[in-house]
Amino acid sequence: AIETKRFDAAPGSYSKGKSKYTQGTLKKKGKAGVMYVQWDGDESLTKSHWKHLTLAFSAMMTSVGRDTSGPGVNMRKIVAMVMQDTILEFKSQSEQGPVPKHFFWALVHKKWRLWVEAVRKEQQSWVENNAFEVTAFGDVPPEAMIIPLGELYSVKRDGTHKYRQIAQGQYLREGIDYTYTFSTTIETSVLRWFHSLACACRKEIRGVDAITGYLQSAQRVPVYATKPSHAGYSDMPMEELAVLRKQLLGLIARDGLGAIRKLITEQKNSEKYKEVWKLLSAIYGVLDAGHAFSMFVQGVMVKELGMINSEVAPSVYFKYEYYKVHELGPEQTSERLVKNWIIACCWTDDFRYFGSDDYVQWFEKTAPTKMKLKLLGVCDDFVAIETIQNLEEGTIELKQPKY
């Protein structure tokens, strides 16, 4: 939409008696901020600068207290304003009442220190993986999308407090902000084959886990996100957070819970035109993040580690080497005997493998230098399937009693 008065040759010459806004359809983007719009009732395309355009529902936005008429406010900024308030909330089965949905609520929680540590742990993983960079709001390209950054506070079955930042990728545009969304998984037949082969070879199944998974792969199309509620607070010393917590509790005691809600709203409104985060890593929630991480894993396994990707099962990788002639006796020189070998399969960020001792040691020493991995040693489960191996008897049992 555009203000109708912008079509006036002289004040009121066209806009008099007409609606305040004229609506149309954005057809294509030109250079230097020029947009080509087909206005309602007009079959031709008209040039308009993006600074003069706003969403058709801007009047609705104004009616609820959002000023959308200022300079430089366009469609992507309005979407950011609307969705900035959308933060996912989950109920915990192990605590009374809902888990926090904002960092201020986490601070006034009775277990606030555990929540702060959970937030810091997640934020540290983002920093270590160079997952984002702070960007001034005015530096965001007009064509780029700004999406909300969801905040998930939860309590695991073992009582561990967990916090995750995820991109709300449902607002991204197919073909513009993302393309491929598939990633490899493991068929049940491949799982049975993998475990059967380990059993036949009498080899223990070992595992590694990719630390912070998707964050190790790069975001391939520029995407921007609103800052999480803890930005500027979670890195404060615990002593200062304790003082802030005391002030928030005092505010609740004096004015009730509504005072915190009002404070949160004021905080959001004061920050919304200042800074956003440019996502540099494939963030959980971005629709092609799974594909990006899958391609990252394939690059590490094939290009960096020299393994072969199975054509039948893309989630399976293997590597082997033959004995050299001088390593064999005269009676064996006519045969090609395998000296070392390893077989690995992956399900997203979870890896299982087995092989000859030398290659297992090589993998556990080399793979963590190519991607961030946590060595798990001998594993008794994979993708929620319990694995019970008996090397002496040559048996293996797979079961899922918890399901």
Side-chain angles (χ1 to χ4, degrees):
I2 192 171
E3 289 185 298
T4 306
K5 66 181 181 180
R6 289 195 173 277
F7 295 107
D8 291 342
S13 60
Y14 176 80
S15 60
K16 186 176 181 180
K18 294 183 173 63
S19 300
K20 181 178 179 180
Y21 289 94
T22 297
Q23 298 184 18
T25 303
L26 183 64
K27 292 296 185 180
K28 62 180 182 178
K29 177 180 177 295
K31 297 180 179 180
V34 173
M35 302 292 176
Y36 290 85
V37 183
Q38 183 179 355
W39 300 109
D40 292 354
D42 188 355
E43 296 183 356
S44 62
L45 296 182
T46 304
K47 294 181 181 180
S48 296
H49 197 275
W50 65 268
K51 290 183 178 181
H52 301 155
L53 302 178
T54 187
L55 284 178
F57 58 83
S58 59
M60 177 191 72
M61 297 291 294
T62 303
S63 69
V64 295
R66 304 281 193 174
D67 182 12
T68 64
S69 59
V73 179
N74 58 19
M75 185 181 300
R76 61 180 172 78
K77 296 184 180 180
I78 295 176
V79 170
M81 287 188 290
V82 174
M83 297 313 306
Q84 188 171 323
D85 298 335
T86 305
I87 299 179
L88 302 180
E89 178 180 359
F90 282 80
K91 298 288 184 178
S92 170
Q93 299 298 322
S94 59
E95 289 188 351
Q96 297 293 328
V99 297
K101 60 179 181 180
H102 188 281
F103 190 68
F104 285 176
W105 290 120
L107 282 181
V108 298
H109 197 279
K110 61 182 180 180
K111 296 184 178 180
W112 68 280
R113 292 181 183 273
L114 295 178
W115 287 123
V116 170
E117 291 299 331
V119 171
R120 286 179 171 178
K121 181 179 179 180
E122 172 73 358
Q123 183 63 14
Q124 184 62 29
S125 69
W126 279 52
V127 172
E128 291 177 351
N129 286 282
N130 192 33
F132 73 99
E133 66 179 14
V134 179
T135 303
F137 202 91
D139 293 338
V140 178
E143 67 277 7
M145 178 64 75
I146 300 177
I147 62 175
L149 198 62
E151 301 182 56
L152 301 181
Y153 293 82
S154 62
V155 180
K156 300 173 68 175
R157 293 179 181 177
D158 62 0
T160 302
H161 287 60
K162 187 175 181 179
Y163 171 80
R164 283 291 182 266
Q165 296 170 162
I166 63 170
Q168 296 192 27
Q170 65 268 35
Y171 302 104
L172 297 176
R173 301 156 294 181
E174 184 176 2
I176 299 175
D177 301 312
Y178 69 93
T179 51
Y180 300 111
T181 59
F182 68 88
S183 60
T184 58
T185 56
I186 304 175
E187 297 181 356
T188 54
S189 59
V190 176
L191 279 173
R192 291 195 298 268
W193 168 84
F194 180 80
H195 289 86
S196 297
L197 186 58
C199 180
C201 296
R202 295 181 182 259
K203 292 294 185 180
E204 290 181 318
I205 298 175
R206 305 174 66 85
V208 294
D209 184 31
I211 302 172
T212 61
Y214 287 6
L215 294 184
Q216 298 192 50
S217 52
Q219 173 60 33
R220 296 173 292 190
V221 176
V223 172
Y224 296 80
T226 56
K227 294 195 299 184
S229 63
H230 68 79
Y233 297 99
S234 60
D235 56 351
M236 294 169 57
M238 276 293 188
E239 293 78 9
E240 294 182 16
L241 287 176
V243 173
L244 177 58
R245 179 176 188 270
K246 184 177 180 180
Q247 294 172 341
L248 293 174
L249 291 173
L251 188 62
I252 293 175
R254 185 176 68 251
D255 301 325
L257 293 175
I260 297 295
R261 298 188 183 96
K262 182 179 179 181
L263 180 63
I264 291 173
T265 300
E266 292 175 352
Q267 179 212 25
K268 294 176 181 176
N269 291 337
S270 66
E271 294 289 333
K272 66 185 179 185
Y273 284 137
K274 293 182 180 179
E275 294 176 333
V276 295
W277 283 5
K278 181 180 180 180
L279 305 183
L280 305 179
S281 295
I283 305 300
Y284 287 102
V286 174
L287 298 181
D288 66 345
H291 181 263
F293 183 71
S294 179
M295 294 298 99
F296 168 72
V297 169
Q298 186 182 72
V300 170
M301 300 293 277
V302 176
K303 296 181 180 179
E304 301 289 338
L305 299 179
M307 301 185 74
I308 301 172
N309 195 185
S310 171
E311 296 182 3
V312 177
S315 58
V316 174
Y317 299 86
F318 60 93
K319 185 175 183 178
Y320 60 89
E321 67 171 341
Y322 293 114
Y323 278 102
K324 296 179 181 179
V325 175
H326 69 271
E327 295 177 313
L328 300 173
E331 68 282 0
Q332 297 175 311
T333 55
S334 61
E335 298 182 20
R336 302 189 71 187
L337 299 180
V338 174
K339 178 180 180 181
N340 285 307
W341 57 278
I342 188 170
I343 297 176
C345 63
C346 63
W347 182 294
T348 311
D349 56 357
D350 207 7
F351 298 76
R352 294 293 182 270
Y353 56 92
F354 62 88
S356 62
D357 293 344
D358 287 348
Y359 262 27
V360 166
Q361 294 176 10
W362 161 81
F363 183 82
E364 293 181 344
K365 179 180 179 180
T366 308
T369 66
K370 306 301 180 181
M371 60 189 300
K372 297 177 181 178
L373 298 172
K374 178 182 179 181
L375 298 178
L376 304 177
V378 178
C379 295
D380 57 6
D381 72 299
F382 187 39
V383 292
I385 300 175
E386 291 187 34
T387 305
I388 302 174
Q389 282 186 274
N390 189 322
L391 297 182
E392 292 183 0
E393 297 182 3
T395 61
I396 190 167
E397 180 183 2
L398 307 180
K399 61 180 184 177
Q400 290 182 288
K402 295 181 181 180
Y403 283 77

